[in-house]
Amino acid sequence: MYYNFLFLLIGSFCLNAAQSFAQSNFQENDFLNNTRQLIFEGKRSGEGYFSADGRYLVFQSERLDDNPFYQIYSLDFDSGDVQQISPGSGKTTCAFYQGGTNHILFSSSHRDPQAKAKQKAEIDFRNSGKERRYSWDYEPEMDIFLSDNQGNILQQLTQSYGYDAEASFSPDGKKIVFCSNRNAFNGKLNAEDSKRLEYDPAYFGDIYIMNADGSNVQQLTTTAGYDGGPFFSPDGKRIIWRHFNESGMLADIYTMKTDGSDVKRITDFNAMSWAPFYHPSGDYIIFASNKLGFENFELYITAADGSTQPVRVTFTDGFDGLPVFSPDGKTLVWTSNRTADAKAQLFIANWSDANARQALANAAPLHLSAQQTTAMHLSDDATREDFVQWIEYLANDALEGRMTGSVGIHTAADFISQQWQQQGLQPLPNQLTYALPFQFVSGVEPIAENTTFGIRSQTMRLGETYQIKRDYLPLSFSDNGQIEGNIVFVAYGLKTPEGNGIPLNDYANVDVTDKIVLVFDGLPAGFDEETRLELERYGATHYKAMIAREMGAKGIIFIQEKLSENLKAERGSSGIVALEILPETAKRIFALAEQDFAVVEKKCAAYNPHAAATYNFPEHLRANIQVEMKKQYGTDNNLVAMLPAKTADAPYIVIGAHYDHLGYGEEGSRAIAGEEHQIHNGADDNASGTAMILELAAYYANLYKKDATAFDKNMVFALWSGEELGLIGSENFVKNSPIPLEKVAAYFNYDMVGRLKDNQLILQGVGSAKEWKSFIEKKNVRAGFQLTLSNDPYLPTDATSFYKAGVPTISFFTGLHDDYHRPTDDANLINYDGVVRIAAFSETLLKEVQQNTLTYEKVTMSKQQASARGFSVYLGTIPDYGADVEGVKLSGVRAGSPADKAGLQDGDVIISLNDKEIKNIYDYTYILGDLKPNEAVSIQIMRNKERMMLQVTPIAK
């Protein structure tokens, strides 16, 4: 659950990378030997496919003087001769030999009346000296043709307006599978999709199958996003292809039967994974992916059923893609730009099947074990045994705390998806699988060659350059840029606001304007525990950086006992360049000024709040710092399944929980001394909520099997990731919902329902619909809980995402406890009998919502609700924790709150508060904490690129 000491203020920003490929001892030359460039003529070449006997290779190449676009050619391996196959005008792509014949399939736009004009325009553009990235245009004039191996066209196989291409034959030569966006041109697109067609025609690509003569065309896929590049399996029973998500940035490999059924996802690689091709044995596949960088495509292999982590095959920077095995499996041909001029050409190499099989045998499976990935043995009704199975699995050390984007949460997702599949739950409409991906900022990393730190004298021949990660490290929130300036040592860099009970100002006797501040990290050791608690927020690195920025400094250096091991993900800007250095590095810096660092340490240890130990370094000494931080992005998945209602246009009930947790406590942990970096299993938070969703899904799936007309409303079961980072997964779902949110009748949320104590159950958000209390009263007569009802729907859990979107919500919660966000939150502490009772109570409330209508209510804030927050004052803003902006973007404001009365709106970006600049969420929370109730302050926002100044009056908590 997303409660912590700043639960309404900041999210956790540090994540592990997404699911990785299998680390192998094999290198490229273990898989590929005698690697050589095959095609040299022409500007570029690619997509080579073998004939069934392996003698010929059909490929595409740019080599005509009057046509800058690809044309189709066939290479004879016996003679080395190359024969042009396509007519020579228009664009062509994706040729393929028909088994049992020398006939060649290819796609071409040569019958486009504008073909010649387009060729000339492209030639003129290139002759102008201009350049652009290579791209593919998905010409709607592209059709599929059949030719002999001398270039004589035998038949036009498709004639529908739209892109028909990427075609291949079945092994017996009787079927053709291809990609087409023809449905986008049927005149039935809405206004939004019509606009999208203009700039993203690939989005509408789907997989089709037809007879070899072009007859009996059938559509196999209907999911939003680009489906293309299909091939038959060696036995002809399945089709493999790559599916791009709706953004077009991520793709994964799928297979299905030739009738479009039994869709299976083979990769979940969180990258652009495409161009799959079967090994002739059918045992494994090879594909290309940019897992290691947006423009660095490498080849990988994985088991044909996706049961192993992918194994990397190529290790050469740049593009390696479109791999194809020869019919005997001994040769690989692929497209690569590992050429002298970095232009893509075809390469060929001998393939080691033995090493490929050994590497896959050594690769880790994608599931924990065969036993754990089978369906649970469940009773028809919820039982203690059911919940023991679910929670013990989810809260097992093997899942490593289910951190968003980690291998552990992907393992949990695989397991959950398998349970749902075996229970008969369906993906949402127009979705291939239960997994709905979303992207998040997973971390930052300094670019070493562009990050430097040194000190030089302008008058003396002395100075030092320091080594990154040994002597210093940029802080995760550091701005990028290069600065130079004099150094001022400012003790601990403490400055408390006026009126604070403990007045501190280490800047009182120094001027740091345009200088670089050097400070000790944290708080002085001499403060007693009560003082330390009161000053804790002022000792935080983000707060000290904000103060240094406000005082005019352009950089800040913290003296730390050890350098950070992992740099947390940050959103927005800090407005200042920031480093951390070791005491040994500080000692060397002070020595340049002929100062004894040990003496400085001793003075600071005897900290005097009225006269801090500060020091202006000599004018001739100047620090030079250059920082370039690169943000890292990860992808994770929400998991959403459904059981349909008896009517097609029925409303939806969404039942959800989050299945992520804190991993090894990288962020948000409350671990005490001795518990650091231990696995946080999160049995209550939130394996208990996840288990509730799994159990309710199993219960309703059983009802559905007995009667497919059992539901008046669609039942949707959702498990969110990214909740511990600030509701990222559920927010993404609401913003990009595959189902119409106006048709969601209610959202049920389960976050921490495993510690029922003294029969006390907390139901939150009941003010979101006027009928909730009567439903609850009616059903609790038999359930018999000691209920605490809270009207407030603005909660630090996923229900808030839905409430802001106009959906009535209700949240089940059994309360905080001492094990919350600690590694001690384990399965043995769960009240399993209590969870069973909550499940039974939920079923009765769900039945009530199935049969009745809820009326959404806009909840205004009361004084009582304001007092529940963790600050002395309250504004009522709801930050968008996923937004990567400079300032603080709002995802909403509470009705009746000071922010609402001031005129703040969803989407506003706060850039200053009380005349103090705000760069990020930390600035906002620190400044908010210093405000006084009932005293109006200025708040500056950006709204639709327009700067606006408003007045807001905080209220007391």
Side-chain angles (χ1 to χ4, degrees):
M1 192 172 197
Y2 185 49
Y3 280 109
N4 58 39
F5 72 99
L6 286 177
F7 65 75
L8 281 177
L9 304 173
I10 58 173
S12 306
F13 298 134
C14 181
L15 292 170
N16 296 327
Q19 178 180 331
S20 62
F21 54 88
Q23 299 295 333
S24 167
N25 292 324
F26 292 103
Q27 296 296 309
E28 182 171 315
N29 58 8
D30 294 311
F31 299 106
L32 303 167
N33 61 79
N34 193 24
T35 298
R36 60 202 185 278
Q37 187 172 336
L38 181 64
I39 300 299
F40 290 86
E41 187 178 351
K43 184 176 181 180
R44 58 169 63 91
S45 64
E47 288 208 64
Y49 299 98
F50 290 89
S51 60
D53 59 6
R55 176 177 171 176
Y56 299 98
L57 186 83
V58 66
F59 65 98
Q60 58 195 38
S61 178
E62 293 181 5
R63 56 176 64 187
L64 297 180
D65 291 337
D66 63 345
N67 189 343
F69 302 120
Y70 277 130
Q71 292 297 300
I72 304 300
Y73 299 85
S74 180
L75 168 68
D76 185 338
F77 281 107
D78 287 351
S79 66
D81 292 336
V82 172
Q83 170 71 47
Q84 183 175 325
I85 302 299
S86 56
S89 64
K91 301 179 181 180
T92 65
T93 190
C94 304
F96 206 87
Y97 268 99
Q98 184 179 26
T101 73
N102 281 330
H103 295 165
I104 296 171
L105 194 69
F106 67 93
S107 296
S108 176
S109 67
H110 65 272
R111 293 191 173 175
D112 176 11
Q114 298 298 314
K116 294 289 187 181
K118 292 176 181 177
Q119 291 170 205
K120 183 180 184 305
E122 181 65 18
I123 290 172
D124 291 345
F125 178 84
R126 296 186 186 185
N127 288 341
S128 71
K130 299 177 182 178
E131 292 187 5
R132 58 185 168 210
R133 283 177 175 268
Y134 173 76
S135 64
W136 190 239
D137 293 329
Y138 303 94
E139 298 268 337
E141 296 82 12
M142 189 76 71
D143 281 303
I144 301 173
F145 296 83
L146 189 68
S147 167
D148 64 18
N149 65 351
Q150 297 301 308
N152 300 306
I153 290 181
L154 304 175
Q155 189 178 359
Q156 181 174 348
L157 299 176
T158 63
Q159 299 185 34
S160 295
Y161 189 71
Y163 174 77
D164 292 326
E166 305 172 27
S168 62
F169 277 108
S170 60
D172 62 8
K174 294 181 179 180
K175 294 285 185 180
I176 296 171
V177 65
F178 65 101
C179 169
S180 178
N181 63 3
R182 57 180 63 190
N183 274 352
F185 298 93
N186 61 11
K188 297 180 180 180
L189 295 183
N190 59 34
E192 181 180 353
D193 282 345
S194 295
K195 185 176 180 180
R196 183 164 193 160
L197 180 61
E198 295 176 9
Y199 66 88
D200 188 14
Y203 173 85
F204 301 93
D206 284 302
I207 306 298
Y208 290 75
I209 193 170
M210 63 184 176
N211 294 334
D213 62 1
S215 63
N216 192 27
V217 178
Q218 299 177 39
Q219 185 173 351
L220 300 182
T221 65
T222 59
T223 307
Y226 180 22
D227 293 294
F231 297 98
F232 287 89
S233 60
D235 62 7
K237 295 181 179 180
R238 298 189 72 80
I239 293 167
I240 193 169
W241 83 100
R242 78 284 188 283
H243 169 72
F244 280 78
N245 69 352
E246 294 190 38
S247 73
M249 298 300 294
L250 299 176
D252 274 297
I253 311 302
Y254 291 80
T255 70
M256 61 183 163
K257 290 182 179 179
T258 57
D259 63 358
S261 65
D262 192 30
V263 173
K264 293 183 178 179
R265 185 172 185 168
I266 304 303
T267 65
D268 187 5
F269 215 29
N270 300 308
M272 191 181 293
S273 301
W274 63 301
F277 202 84
Y278 279 100
H279 185 265
S281 66
D283 294 337
Y284 57 89
I285 63 170
I286 191 166
F287 65 97
S289 179
N290 64 350
K291 181 71 175 178
L292 300 177
F294 187 76
E295 295 184 345
N296 182 30
F297 281 87
E298 304 288 0
L299 301 183
Y300 298 82
I301 53 174
T302 190
D305 62 358
S307 59
T308 61
Q309 289 186 18
V311 174
R312 186 178 176 185
V313 169
T314 57
F315 292 77
T316 303
D317 287 346
F319 180 85
D320 289 296
L322 300 158
V324 175
F325 289 110
S326 60
D328 61 6
K330 295 180 179 180
T331 303
L332 187 77
V333 166
W334 73 103
T335 307
S336 179
N337 65 356
R338 57 176 74 190
T339 54
D341 61 0
K343 302 293 186 183
Q345 298 284 7
L346 286 175
F347 280 71
I348 190 169
N350 300 329
W351 176 256
S352 175
D353 177 65
N355 283 348
R357 293 180 184 276
Q358 184 61 53
L360 289 172
N362 295 341
L366 291 184
H367 305 290
L368 289 179
S369 71
Q371 180 181 3
Q372 286 174 311
T373 57
T374 57
M376 296 290 190
H377 300 288
L378 302 172
S379 55
D380 287 348
D381 294 313
T383 67
R384 176 189 176 92
E385 290 71 25
D386 290 350
F387 279 103
V388 169
Q389 291 180 83
W390 297 125
I391 294 174
E392 286 189 349
Y393 173 82
L394 293 163
N396 190 288
D397 279 356
L399 293 184
E400 298 183 297
R402 308 185 310 283
M403 188 75 169
T404 301
S406 69
V407 173
I409 197 167
H410 280 281
T411 303
D414 289 341
F415 170 78
I416 291 163
S417 296
Q418 189 174 41
Q419 305 308 307
W420 283 353
Q421 187 174 22
Q422 291 171 340
Q423 292 161 9
L425 274 72
Q426 303 174 17
L428 291 181
N430 298 319
Q431 300 298 315
L432 283 171
T433 68
Y434 309 123
L436 302 179
F438 62 88
Q439 194 175 60
F440 59 92
V441 180
S442 60
V444 290
E445 179 70 19
I447 300 175
E449 59 269 27
N450 296 333
T451 301
T452 58
F453 172 38
I455 295 178
R456 290 286 182 272
S457 171
Q458 294 180 310
T459 59
M460 303 170 62
R461 302 183 68 179
L462 57 81
E464 286 190 343
T465 299
Y466 305 101
Q467 184 174 324
I468 191 171
K469 295 185 179 180
R470 186 194 70 183
D471 304 316
Y472 78 97
L473 188 68
L475 286 166
S476 58
F477 58 80
S478 174
D479 262 14
N480 288 336
Q482 183 171 4
I483 61 172
E484 181 178 336
N486 295 115
I487 306 170
V488 181
F489 175 67
V490 193
Y492 281 87
L494 295 171
K495 186 175 185 292
T496 57
E498 291 183 13
N500 181 270
I502 305 176
L504 300 175
N505 187 2
D506 290 354
Y507 290 86
N509 300 313
V510 291
D511 179 8
V512 299
T513 304
D514 291 330
K515 297 179 181 179
I516 297 170
V517 170
L518 177 64
V519 301
F520 279 110
D521 181 50
L523 293 169
F527 289 144
D528 58 45
E529 189 62 28
E530 183 179 349
T531 303
R532 295 184 70 81
L533 286 172
E534 189 169 344
L535 294 176
E536 185 176 22
R537 65 192 300 263
Y538 305 114
T541 54
H542 281 87
Y543 191 90
K544 290 183 180 182
M546 181 186 74
I547 293 298
R549 188 187 75 216
E550 286 187 349
M551 298 301 295
K554 55 185 176 182
I556 185 168
I557 301 171
F558 292 88
I559 304 170
Q560 305 260 33
E561 286 301 319
K562 57 182 291 190
L563 299 181
S564 301
E565 295 179 2
N566 297 301
L567 294 179
K568 304 172 184 178
E570 299 279 350
R571 294 171 179 82
S573 163
S574 66
I576 193 168
V577 173
L579 303 180
E580 59 183 10
I581 63 173
L582 294 172
E584 182 60 33
T585 310
K587 180 179 179 181
R588 292 161 59 187
I589 293 173
F590 274 91
L592 292 174
E594 299 182 350
Q595 294 292 313
D596 187 342
F597 181 63
V599 174
V600 174
E601 283 186 298
K602 187 175 181 179
K603 286 183 178 179
C604 288
Y607 182 79
N608 183 348
H610 304 293
T614 60
Y615 174 69
N616 285 286
F617 278 67
E619 287 288 325
H620 68 85
L621 286 179
R622 296 180 69 83
N624 191 299
I625 303 172
Q626 180 177 340
V627 173
E628 185 172 347
M629 305 288 279
K630 182 179 180 181
K631 290 183 179 178
Q632 299 170 321
Y633 293 89
T635 303
D636 207 350
N637 296 304
N638 294 319
L639 303 176
V640 189
M642 71 173 291
L643 294 166
K646 59 188 177 185
T647 57
D649 200 35
Y652 298 82
I653 300 173
V654 182
I655 310 164
H658 72 91
Y659 72 114
D660 64 305
H661 196 51
L662 304 182
Y664 286 82
E666 291 91 337
E667 278 293 334
S669 174
R670 295 178 58 252
I672 62 175
E675 295 177 346
E676 301 90 343
H677 309 300
Q678 295 181 17
I679 295 173
H680 289 55
N681 284 319
D684 188 27
D685 183 17
N686 189 29
S688 66
T690 303
M692 182 68 70
I693 303 306
L694 292 171
E695 187 67 16
L696 290 172
Y699 170 77
Y700 286 104
N702 187 49
L703 292 182
Y704 185 76
K705 289 174 185 176
K706 295 176 182 177
D707 180 6
T709 64
F711 308 129
D712 294 319
K713 296 181 177 72
N714 298 291
M715 300 291 287
V716 175
F717 305 93
L719 289 168
W720 317 113
S721 183
E723 192 269 358
E724 298 288 8
L725 309 177
L727 319 183
I728 292 177
S730 57
E731 287 274 12
N732 184 273
F733 178 87
V734 168
K735 290 177 182 178
N736 306 282
S737 178
I739 59 176
L741 288 176
E742 66 273 12
K743 298 195 69 175
V744 178
Y747 175 73
F748 282 64
N749 193 73
Y750 299 86
D751 196 349
M752 298 179 64
V753 292
R755 296 286 195 97
L756 188 70
K757 184 178 180 182
D758 299 330
N759 196 34
Q760 295 182 14
L761 176 63
I762 303 165
L763 297 180
Q764 300 166 312
V766 297
S768 64
K770 65 181 182 180
E771 295 84 3
W772 275 132
K773 288 185 179 179
S774 63
F775 290 177
I776 292 166
E777 177 185 283
K778 178 179 178 181
K779 297 306 176 184
N780 194 49
V781 171
R782 293 193 63 183
F785 288 103
Q786 281 279 356
L787 294 178
T788 298
L789 303 185
S790 169
N791 287 332
D792 191 0
Y794 293 98
L795 305 165
T797 187
D798 296 297
T800 299
S801 301
F802 282 84
Y803 178 73
K804 290 186 302 179
V807 177
T809 62
I810 186 169
S811 294
F812 294 72
F813 180 44
T814 55
L816 290 171
H817 45 75
D818 192 49
D819 300 298
Y820 163 73
H821 277 202
R822 288 177 56 199
T824 51
D825 183 9
D826 284 322
N828 63 303
L829 300 176
I830 296 296
N831 179 349
Y832 289 102
D833 293 331
V835 182
V836 171
R837 289 185 58 212
I838 295 170
F841 181 42
S842 298
E843 290 164 9
T844 65
L845 281 176
L846 283 163
K847 184 176 181 180
E848 200 74 16
V849 176
Q850 272 283 344
Q851 298 172 347
N852 295 283
T853 300
L854 289 170
T855 307
Y856 177 81
E857 294 280 303
K858 195 168 184 179
V859 179
T860 57
M861 189 198 63
S862 68
K863 282 281 187 180
Q864 183 179 5
Q865 290 164 349
S867 68
R869 309 305 178 188
F871 290 96
S872 59
V873 299
Y874 180 68
L875 292 185
T877 54
I878 305 172
D880 182 347
Y881 296 101
D884 189 11
V885 298
E886 185 169 315
V888 173
K889 186 176 182 179
L890 300 183
S891 64
V893 295
R894 287 186 54 113
S897 66
D900 186 26
K901 295 175 182 177
L904 273 74
Q905 301 175 6
D906 178 11
D908 289 346
V909 178
I910 301 174
I911 56 176
S912 78
L913 178 63
N914 197 23
D915 299 323
K916 295 182 178 179
E917 189 177 25
I918 289 174
K919 294 286 188 177
N920 50 52
I921 189 70
Y922 296 98
D923 291 352
Y924 181 58
T925 58
Y926 293 139
I927 296 169
L928 180 64
D930 292 335
L931 299 183
K932 293 180 172 57
N934 304 317
E935 290 186 10
V937 295
S938 62
I939 185 165
Q940 192 172 183
I941 62 170
M942 293 295 294
R943 179 180 297 167
N944 298 324
K945 298 183 180 180
E946 180 183 353
R947 189 181 298 261
M948 300 176 63
M949 184 71 76
L950 304 173
Q951 292 285 315
V952 63
T953 303
I955 61 173
K957 78 171 193 177

